Amino acid sequence: MFEFNYALTEKDLFDFSVFNYFYSPLYKRDIYLRKILVPALFALLSLFYLYTYKFNFLIAAPYVAFFVFASVLYLVLFRRISIFNIKRSVKRVKKFNNDLYDDNQIIKFLDYDIVLQSDTSEGKLKYSNVKNVVVTKNAVYLYIDTNKAFILPQRFFENPDNQDKFLDFLKEKINLNVTFA
């Protein structure tokens, strides 16, 4: 049995959100579309300016150059732009959903269930509901859906041996491979 005081910080939620966005299959299509559609929009605008100036490239060249530069800049800064947006989203979550940051929550990994307790409620989850286990340098994520996970930051484990014991315990309870990212 393992028990943790389940108090998450804004950084914990941010780290999970960034990891989930860039490495989850759920967002792969979104990332691909964003990387294609924005430069395609700039290309269409370039064609529009070329058409407007009757394909006189000397007059339209500054506009075309600007849109090409904007496309390349967008692709280069894509990760930073995404991280900035994730950071804003996490701040909104903290502002409107303080339950995530409640210091009085306890998560217990019992023989048959995962139990999350707070002062006002208690929830149980079977181990069979865990879809994936991912270990990163910052945390262990127990995915219960493609976009939802229990976040267990490294600070929950006093040392690497405790984390290894916990992962061995999970391997016994869950018939899944643990992914190290």
Side-chain angles (χ1 to χ4, degrees):
M1 178 181 114
F2 288 86
E3 182 175 311
F4 303 103
N5 180 9
Y6 198 66
L8 296 178
T9 64
E10 191 174 317
K11 183 183 179 332
D12 297 332
L13 190 56
F14 173 74
D15 288 344
F16 170 71
S17 298
V18 169
F19 175 81
N20 196 46
Y21 183 73
F22 287 108
Y23 298 102
S24 169
L26 180 68
Y27 294 108
K28 292 252 187 252
R29 182 171 177 235
D30 179 61
I31 290 171
Y32 176 75
L33 286 175
R34 287 180 186 213
K35 285 184 173 181
I36 296 298
L37 290 178
V38 172
L41 176 66
F42 286 137
L44 285 174
L45 287 170
S46 295
L47 288 174
F48 171 75
Y49 275 100
L50 279 171
Y51 178 76
T52 302
Y53 291 108
K54 298 185 182 9
F55 294 96
N56 185 342
F57 194 74
L58 291 176
I59 297 172
Y63 299 108
V64 173
F66 170 76
F67 290 127
V68 168
F69 175 75
S71 294
V72 171
L73 187 64
Y74 176 77
L75 291 173
V76 168
L77 295 177
F78 178 80
R79 186 171 180 86
R80 286 188 180 185
I81 292 167
S82 299
I83 289 173
F84 174 78
N85 288 331
I86 291 169
K87 191 176 279 190
R88 280 191 357 206
S89 295
V90 167
K91 287 185 186 292
R92 271 195 306 264
V93 166
K94 184 174 184 179
K95 185 177 180 180
F96 295 110
N97 188 358
N98 285 329
D99 293 345
L100 279 174
Y101 303 100
D102 185 4
D103 289 343
N104 297 324
Q105 296 185 68
I106 296 173
I107 189 167
K108 297 178 182 178
F109 294 88
L110 306 175
D111 285 333
Y112 300 105
D113 297 318
I114 301 170
V115 178
L116 185 62
Q117 295 176 325
S118 71
D119 293 339
T120 57
S121 66
E122 179 177 308
K124 289 185 179 182
L125 183 74
K126 298 278 184 212
Y127 285 105
S128 60
N129 291 4
V130 177
K131 308 289 187 234
N132 195 9
V133 179
V134 178
V135 179
T136 68
K137 67 177 183 161
N138 297 326
V140 175
Y141 303 128
L142 302 177
Y143 280 89
I144 55 175
D145 199 356
T146 53
N147 204 27
K148 295 177 187 172
F150 287 110
I151 303 168
L152 303 173
Q154 292 295 338
R155 69 176 179 282
F156 284 13
F157 308 101
E158 288 92 30
N159 58 49
D161 288 339
N162 285 356
Q163 180 179 338
D164 291 340
K165 288 177 187 173
F166 176 72
L167 292 174
D168 289 340
F169 174 81
L170 280 180
K171 287 176 187 174
E172 287 178 21
K173 302 297 178 189
I174 304 168
N175 192 15
L176 294 171
N177 289 329
V178 175
T179 306
F180 292 88

